Amino acid sequence: MSEQSFPGPIEIPLAVAKVWEKRYEDNTTVEDNKNKVKSYLIPRESLEKVLQLDADAVRAYIGINDQREKTLLFVGAKFDEVTGKYIDVYGPPSSSQQNKAAAEDDVIVYDGARPTPPY
């Protein structure tokens, strides 16, 4: 992806996010300094959308997207007083999915982060 098209799509279906997270978990390669991610360029829109959720915090999962780049996937996190743990809070289905029932595969996490290098 070029910087001209930054950030690209930021709404990622939860099912796709889970594939990206699994891809990252299964990646056993050791990064050399040439390929090591040092930071992420994060679009303001991704942060604004996750901050609009009814959440107390933001959780960032690490994934590998379809361009084989490491990325951050943002979800809200709300403290559950019963369990004493934070639970994930997802975005609503995108406008193209709003007429469907909100199944797990229809809820949204937010992406758009690009690794540095190369961005």
Side-chain angles (χ1 to χ4, degrees):
M1 177 177 290
S2 73
E3 288 193 34
Q4 286 182 318
S5 59
F6 177 78
I10 64 164
E11 293 184 349
I12 308 297
L14 179 58
V16 172
K18 286 183 175 186
V19 169
W20 291 5
E21 290 170 39
K22 177 91 170 97
R23 197 180 286 159
Y24 181 76
E25 287 175 15
D26 293 345
N27 184 340
T28 59
T29 61
V30 177
E31 294 178 310
D32 60 25
N33 282 338
K34 178 183 165 211
N35 296 317
K36 189 178 291 181
V37 174
K38 296 178 181 171
S39 66
Y40 288 89
L41 183 62
I42 302 167
R44 179 184 183 119
E45 183 181 6
S46 292
L47 296 177
E48 288 173 344
K49 288 208 177 242
V50 77
L51 291 173
Q52 290 172 2
L53 299 174
D54 181 24
D56 303 316
V58 176
R59 189 184 319 269
Y61 288 94
I62 301 169
I64 296 177
N65 65 22
D66 295 338
Q67 290 76 43
R68 311 302 292 169
E69 301 169 328
K70 285 187 182 174
T71 190
L72 298 176
L73 303 161
F74 300 104
V75 299
K78 188 159 186 73
F79 188 73
D80 182 339
E81 293 185 15
V82 174
T83 64
K85 297 180 180 180
Y86 283 88
I87 57 171
D88 289 344
V89 177
Y90 301 105
S94 65
S95 57
S96 64
Q97 298 171 325
Q98 289 198 358
N99 293 331
K100 295 190 222 174
E104 182 179 278
D105 290 347
D106 296 332
V107 296
I108 298 296
V109 301
Y110 299 99
D111 180 35
R114 295 296 171 255
T116 306
Y119 299 96

